[in-house]
């Protein structure tokens, strides 16, 4: 009886932990999107400089990582952060291709959010899975199963349905849609390159994040100038307002926190559960956005969202089953040998 009660309490604690971590991921992710959108195009703030905001987010993340690194050296029993030197030239050279993709991914992401509505934001960036399949074949020469290709084709169909319906509204922006597609492409390329780059930092995810954010603070500067944001920033009426920098810093903390809670959710659940959670979160985010901004959408527009969400979840499930099957086949081959 005692053992059964102890096992029951252990399972309850486990599932409560999973519930709170997933809830934390949802809240942090949705809050990040709404905070960024508020900074970029709300009547109160309307910064109009998405790359500058991206740069500042990288600055905040770099400061947080640097502080954690110093605290871990001074108080190793309280704080933990992997050892590394971001100013090492050889490390910079090896990680530069990944940092370029990281910069493009964040920049295109915020550029897309500056022009499209939060409700359309998920659809505009829904082609990451499709690009991942294409790039995996072109770069790694790895073929994809027919079932996965069907899922990808369905995602593309849902994307075009969403774009077609969004184009009928006054809020539609081809520029924002194109930046969303570029963000999806950069994310797919970043994911592939990350596997290689982790070897340069002893598989330390936080060290890689530290280096990427630090190097991106440099790479964003010429992009800010080329995008014509320097004059926008200097002419911004609230540039020296404390509340503005407080909001910008909050955005930076959200950007850093989303990386932390993503890694935490994967740790306490699994990559499959995280992908399913992200898909469900996107659905909730879309519903919240339409209610918050009073967006009235057509039935076909909602169907396009459902098509993308279901197809994305189906792709994740199919890939998971294929990985299990491959693992079982390798084990069987090992036993025969």
């Amino acid at each position: 009886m005692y053992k059964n009660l102890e096992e029951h309490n252990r399972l309850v604690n486990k599932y409560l932990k999973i519930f709170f971590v997933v809830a934390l991921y949802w809240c942090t992710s949705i809050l990040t999107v709404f905070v960024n959108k508020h900074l970029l195009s709300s009547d109160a703030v309307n910064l109009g400089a998405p790359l500058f905001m991206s740069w500042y987010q990288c600055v905040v993340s770099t400061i947080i990582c640097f502080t954690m690194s110093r605290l871990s050296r001074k108080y190793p029993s309280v704080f933990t952060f992997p050892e590394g030197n971001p100013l090492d030239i050889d490390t910079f050279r090896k990680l530069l291709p990944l940092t370029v993709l990281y910069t493009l991914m964040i920049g295109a992401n915020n550029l897309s959010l500056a022009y499209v509505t939060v409700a359309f934001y998920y659809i505009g960036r829904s082609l990451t899975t499709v690009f991942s399949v294409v790039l995996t074949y072109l770069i790694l020469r790895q073929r994809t199963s027919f079932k996965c290709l069907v899922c990808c084709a369905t995602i593309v169909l849902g994307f075009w349905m969403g774009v077609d319906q969004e184009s009928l509204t006054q809020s539609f922006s081809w520029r924002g849609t194109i930046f969303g597609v570029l963000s999806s492409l950069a994310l797919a390329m970043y994911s592939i390159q990350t596997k290689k780059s982790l070897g340069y930092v002893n598989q330390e995810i936080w060290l890689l994040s530290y280096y990427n954010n630090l190097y991106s603070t440099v790479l964003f500067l010429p992009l800010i100038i080329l995008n014509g944001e320097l004059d926008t920033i200097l002419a911004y009426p609230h540039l020296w307002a404390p509340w503005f920098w407080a909001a910008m810093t909050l955005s930076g903390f959200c950007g850093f926190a989303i990386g932390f809670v993503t890694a935490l959710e994967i740790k306490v659940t699994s990559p499959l559960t995280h992908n399913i959670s992200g898909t469900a979160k996107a659905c909730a985010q879309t519903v919240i956005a339409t209610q918050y901004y009073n967006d009235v959408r057509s039935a076909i527009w909602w169907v396009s969202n459902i098509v993308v969400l279901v197809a994305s979840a189906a792709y994740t499930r199919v890939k998971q089953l294929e990985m299990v099957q491959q693992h079982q086949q390798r084990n069987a081959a090992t036993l025969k040998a």
Side-chain angles (χ1 to χ4, degrees), residues 5-217:
L5 181 61
E6 186 179 6
E7 180 68 16
H8 175 267
N9 290 336
R10 188 184 66 82
L11 288 175
V12 169
N13 291 334
K14 176 184 175 181
Y15 288 120
L16 280 176
K17 180 180 180 181
I18 291 174
F19 171 79
F20 284 118
V21 169
V22 171
L24 179 63
Y25 167 75
W26 278 43
C27 293
T28 304
S29 181
I30 293 174
L31 176 64
T32 300
V33 172
F34 276 87
V35 167
N36 288 348
K37 183 62 178 178
H38 184 75
L39 283 169
L40 290 170
S41 54
S42 68
D43 294 334
V45 185
N46 195 20
L47 176 59
L51 294 184
F52 172 70
M53 188 183 75
S54 303
W55 171 81
Y56 189 76
Q57 288 173 338
C58 289
V59 169
V60 172
S61 295
T62 301
I63 292 173
I64 293 173
C65 289
F66 175 78
T67 303
M68 290 177 63
S69 176
R70 292 298 178 183
L71 289 174
S72 67
R73 294 180 183 180
K74 193 170 183 180
Y75 307 104
S77 61
V78 180
F79 299 94
T80 58
F81 198 85
E83 289 286 338
N85 179 19
L87 301 181
D88 180 70
I89 299 300
D90 187 54
T91 302
F92 172 76
R93 180 179 57 81
K94 290 177 179 178
L95 293 181
L96 183 59
L98 182 71
T99 303
V100 170
L101 292 174
Y102 181 76
T103 304
L104 293 175
M105 178 180 68
I106 297 177
N109 181 58
N110 284 331
L111 281 166
S112 174
L113 189 58
Y115 294 108
V116 303
T117 62
V118 177
F120 182 68
Y121 179 64
Y122 173 70
I123 291 292
R125 298 176 61 254
S126 61
L127 297 181
T128 301
T129 300
V130 179
F131 284 129
S132 295
V133 170
V134 174
L135 291 172
T136 298
Y137 176 75
L138 294 177
I139 298 175
L140 305 178
R141 292 299 175 184
Q142 294 180 2
R143 295 183 179 275
T144 304
S145 68
F146 177 75
K147 290 182 179 179
C148 286
L149 291 177
V150 171
C151 292
C152 289
T154 308
I155 292 173
V156 174
L157 174 63
F159 170 79
W160 280 114
M161 287 174 60
V163 172
D164 177 69
Q165 290 300 301
E166 189 72 12
S167 65
L168 302 177
T169 67
Q170 295 181 348
S171 60
F172 177 70
S173 169
W174 272 112
R175 181 180 295 182
T177 304
I178 291 172
F179 279 126
V181 173
L182 291 177
S183 176
S184 299
L185 175 60
L187 175 57
M189 295 177 67
Y190 178 80
S191 299
I192 294 175
Q193 185 68 22
T194 296
K195 295 180 181 179
K196 176 182 177 182
S197 300
L198 277 170
Y200 302 139
V201 292
N202 299 319
Q203 303 299 318
E204 295 286 355
I205 296 176
W206 287 117
L207 205 58
L208 188 65
S209 176
Y210 181 20
Y211 293 173
N212 271 334
N213 280 286
L214 176 61
Y215 302 155
S216 291
T217 59

